[in-house]
């Protein structure tokens, strides 16, 4: 049956089959994720409405909670979870595309390595990049998950991981869900604590990166390290 004769909810799926995934618009992709619309509008129309509310930006859509999504008429808990799940899969896939043996040459390299993991979170997380003598990435690890305002890292766990991976350099990073790029007094204190502990073990703290939704702050670049 030609696509034009199908119910609108079925058209994106048929288009996917006959023309390929690259032929689909963002609203058509979202319609497939949702599966169906409501009595008042099709999945395609509902998808357009949802995307329009976030300026057609997938990143902004990923910041919406399940409750936020359920505010749209026709979106129940199951559909909201399906949308959030698809976006989380996309985030994880993007993170896995990073080469295992990336070389960190500057703060932006570290930011690019971790932005997919940290930029769109609603609570703070503390991560570390472990490097060898050539500044090649040996291992990347999330160390803690915290609340909205802070995530405390155990320095002993940080350096145990560094020793386990025979790392000679560390870059630490955490996110600020508030969007602020200003380093707090706690951020500065933990940075100095880690720096001093590293001297004893001959493991250098190379940088501390604060990541927000669309930017970052580097302790090294600003002379705070």
């Amino acid at each position: 049956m030609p696509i034009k004769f199908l119910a609108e909810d079925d058209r994106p799926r048929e288009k996917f089959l006959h023309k390929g995934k690259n032929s689909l618009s963002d609203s058509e992709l979202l319609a497939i994720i949702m599966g169906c619309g409501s009595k008042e509008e099709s999945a395609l129309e509902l998808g357009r409405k949802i995307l329009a509310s976030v300026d057609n930006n997938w990143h902004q859509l990923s910041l919406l909670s399940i409750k936020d999504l359920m505010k749209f008429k026709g979106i129940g808990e199951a559909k909201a979870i399906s949308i959030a799940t698809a976006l989380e899969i996309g985030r994880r896939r993007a993170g896995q595309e990073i080469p295992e043996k990336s070389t960190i040459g500057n703060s932006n390299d570290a930011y690019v390595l971790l932005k997919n993991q940290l930029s769109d979170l609603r609570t703070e997380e503390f991560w570390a990049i472990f490097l060898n003598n050539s500044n090649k990435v040996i291992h990347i690890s999330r160390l803690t998950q915290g609340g909205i305002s802070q995530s405390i890292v155990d320095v002993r766990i940080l350096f145990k991981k560094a020793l386990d991976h025979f790392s000679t350099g560390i870059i630490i990073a955490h996110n600020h869900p508030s969007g602020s790029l200003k380093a707090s007094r706690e951020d500065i204190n933990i940075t100095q604590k880690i720096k001093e502990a590293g001297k004893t073990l001959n493991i250098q703290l190379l940088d501390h990166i604060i990541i927000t939704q669309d930017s970052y702050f580097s302790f090294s670049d600003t002379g705070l390290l």
Side-chain angles (χ1 to χ4, degrees), residues 102 104 113 127-141 158-159 161-172 194-195 198-199 201-208 225:
S102 298
I104 303 296
L113 199 61
W127 287 60
I129 304 172
F130 301 95
L131 306 102
N132 63 16
N133 279 322
S134 301
N135 282 348
K136 285 190 175 182
V137 177
I138 301 170
H139 183 67
I140 302 172
S141 179
L158 172 67
F159 282 101
K161 284 187 176 291
L163 292 169
D164 287 344
H165 292 282
F166 302 97
S167 175
T168 59
I170 299 173
I171 294 174
I172 55 175
I194 292 171
K195 179 181 177 180
K199 289 180 180 178
L201 298 171
N202 200 27
I203 300 173
Q204 185 180 3
L205 177 62
L206 301 171
D207 205 347
H208 183 175
L225 190 58

Side-chain angles (χ1 to χ4, degrees), residues 4 53 60 86 93 167 186:
K4 66 180 180 179
S53 74
Q60 292 301 319
R93 179 183 182 276
S167 175
E186 290 78 11

Side-chain angles (χ1 to χ4, degrees), residues 164-202:
D164 287 344
H165 292 282
F166 302 97
S167 175
T168 59
I170 299 173
I171 294 174
I172 55 175
H174 77 284
N175 61 309
H176 277 180
S178 66
S180 171
L181 284 173
K182 183 178 180 181
S184 67
R185 173 51 54 187
E186 290 78 11
D187 294 337
I188 295 171
N189 287 343
I190 194 64
T191 302
Q192 291 304 315
K193 187 175 181 180
I194 292 171
K195 179 181 177 180
E196 291 303 314
K199 289 180 180 178
T200 303
L201 298 171
N202 200 27

Side-chain angles (χ1 to χ4, degrees), residues 144-155:
T144 61
Q145 294 173 278
I148 294 175
S149 61
Q150 65 177 347
S151 177
I152 305 301
V153 65
D154 188 325
V155 177

Side-chain angles (χ1 to χ4, degrees), residues 45-86:
E45 291 169 332
L46 185 54
R48 291 191 190 109
K49 181 184 293 185
I50 293 171
L51 286 169
S53 74
V54 291
D55 297 322
N56 294 297
N57 187 296
W58 287 110
H59 173 71
Q60 292 301 319
L61 181 59
S62 72
L63 298 178
L64 299 185
S65 67
I66 299 299
K67 289 184 178 179
D68 291 333
L69 291 168
M70 290 174 64
K71 291 177 183 177
F72 292 94
K73 190 174 182 179
I75 298 294
E77 186 176 69
K79 285 182 185 175
I81 290 173
S82 293
I83 293 170
T85 298

